[in-house]
């Protein structure tokens, strides 16, 4: 979810919570022991996850407060995209629409379920604090995220977690299963994120390592150690081809 106004954020959270948990609040408590109901409810929640990814671009557009359609930053993004589309690197980048949002903090997200209907959303703060190589690497990375493997890597863990695990773990074994799943997800997540770095570098060629360093500097946060991205040293090695 991209940053938004407090009102739009609360509306989104309220509607999402009601859609996700509403049915379980309305049915009799005895149904919680019914196998058929639990199966149908899990399938319902899984369908909501798929729908959330499908309508991700529309949700992001609704949450975006100030979209930038013109000006020097928009022009810089368009010029960078044109350069990426002209260059014939080793990796074919997805051609996704890019929406620039006026916001005073760095963020970028590739939203969508299928490569053909995904979109990229990024903040003016991030574009403003990047040089040419930084913008090229940032956007190349976002476009790699629009390819089939990356869309599936984003969807499937959330779908499995929603359908297979109960909403309220009730014993130690379930908590251990959840911890094991999250540890496995982190390994898979790091693998795909490192592949994105490598493929973005292959698409760019010269300047990729400098671009990654620019992106890391521009998106640094005080609690960056909590990031779910792979270690910086590994990312630099992937970009360098080591």
């Amino acid at each position: 979810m991209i940053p938004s106004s407090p009102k739009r954020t609360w509306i989104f959270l309220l509607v999402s919570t009601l859609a996700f948990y509403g049915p379980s609040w309305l049915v009799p408590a005895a149904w919680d022991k019914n196998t058929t109901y639990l199966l149908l409810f899990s399938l319902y929640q899984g369908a909501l996850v798929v729908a959330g990814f499908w309508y991700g671009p529309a949700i992001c557009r609704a949450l975006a407060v100030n979209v930038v359609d013109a000006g020097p930053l928009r022009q810089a993004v368009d010029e960078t995209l044109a350069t990426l589309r002209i260059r014939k690197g080793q990796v074919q980048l997805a051609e996704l629409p890019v929406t620039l949002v006026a916001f005073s903090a760095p963020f970028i997200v590739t939203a969508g379920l299928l490569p053909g209907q995904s979109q990229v959303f990024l903040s003016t703060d991030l574009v403003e604090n990047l040089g040419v190589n930084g913008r090229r690497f940032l956007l190349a990375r976002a476009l790699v995220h629009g390819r089939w493997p990356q869309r599936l890597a984003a969807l499937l863990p959330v779908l499995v977690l929603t359908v297979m695990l109960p909403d309220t773990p009730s014993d130690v074994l379930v908590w251990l299963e959840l911890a094991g799943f999250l540890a496995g997800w982190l390994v898979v997540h790091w693998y795909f994120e490192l592949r994105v770095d490598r493929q973005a570098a292959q698409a760019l060629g010269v300047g990729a390592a400098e671009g990654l360093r620019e992106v890391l500097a521009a998106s640094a946060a005080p609690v960056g150690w909590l990031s779910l991205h792979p270690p910086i040293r590994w990312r630099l090695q992937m970009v360098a081809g080591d």
Side-chain angles (χ1 to χ4, degrees), residues 4-220:
S4 184
S5 67
K7 178 181 178 180
R8 296 187 189 190
T9 300
W10 278 112
I11 291 174
F12 171 77
L13 292 175
L14 178 61
V15 172
S16 300
T17 301
L18 289 176
F20 207 75
Y21 296 107
S24 66
W25 297 337
L26 297 175
V27 302
W31 286 25
D32 289 340
K33 306 297 183 181
N34 185 286
T35 305
T36 302
Y37 166 74
L38 293 176
L39 174 62
L40 292 175
F41 186 58
S42 293
L43 293 176
Y44 165 77
Q45 290 185 318
L48 282 182
V49 170
V50 174
F53 273 80
W54 178 267
Y55 290 105
I59 294 172
C60 288
R61 286 195 301 270
L63 289 171
V65 178
N66 296 313
V67 174
V68 178
D69 293 321
L73 294 181
R74 180 69 248 186
Q75 183 178 357
V77 170
D78 291 338
E79 290 175 353
T80 304
L81 290 172
T83 302
L84 292 175
R85 288 163 182 160
I86 291 173
R87 175 180 169 78
K88 301 296 183 182
Q90 300 179 39
V91 175
Q92 184 64 40
L93 300 175
E95 294 192 8
L96 307 181
V98 176
T99 299
L100 184 63
V101 182
F103 197 77
S104 59
F107 77 83
I108 183 168
V109 60
T110 301
L113 177 63
L114 305 178
Q117 54 90 224
S118 295
Q119 294 186 29
V120 177
F121 296 82
L122 77 160
S123 67
T124 51
D125 177 85
L126 192 50
V127 176
E128 193 171 19
N129 287 291
L130 291 174
V132 174
N133 286 326
R135 288 196 298 270
R136 290 173 67 235
F137 186 83
L138 179 77
L139 289 171
R141 216 177 171 280
L143 298 180
V144 172
H145 267 296
R147 301 176 69 198
W148 265 112
Q150 301 302 326
R151 300 323 303 148
L152 290 177
L155 168 68
L156 291 180
V158 181
L159 191 59
V160 171
L161 182 64
T162 301
V163 174
M164 300 300 295
L165 294 177
D167 295 328
T168 53
S170 56
D171 55 44
V172 175
L173 181 60
V174 176
W175 280 108
L176 291 176
E177 290 176 352
L178 178 59
F181 175 85
L182 293 177
W185 169 81
L186 186 61
V187 172
V188 173
H189 176 69
W190 280 8
Y191 170 78
F192 277 95
E193 287 297 304
L194 290 172
R195 277 183 58 85
V196 170
D197 285 332
R198 180 63 180 149
Q199 291 173 348
Q202 289 174 337
L204 262 60
V206 178
E210 181 183 347
L212 173 57
R213 290 188 177 93
E214 286 186 23
V215 170
L216 292 172
S219 57

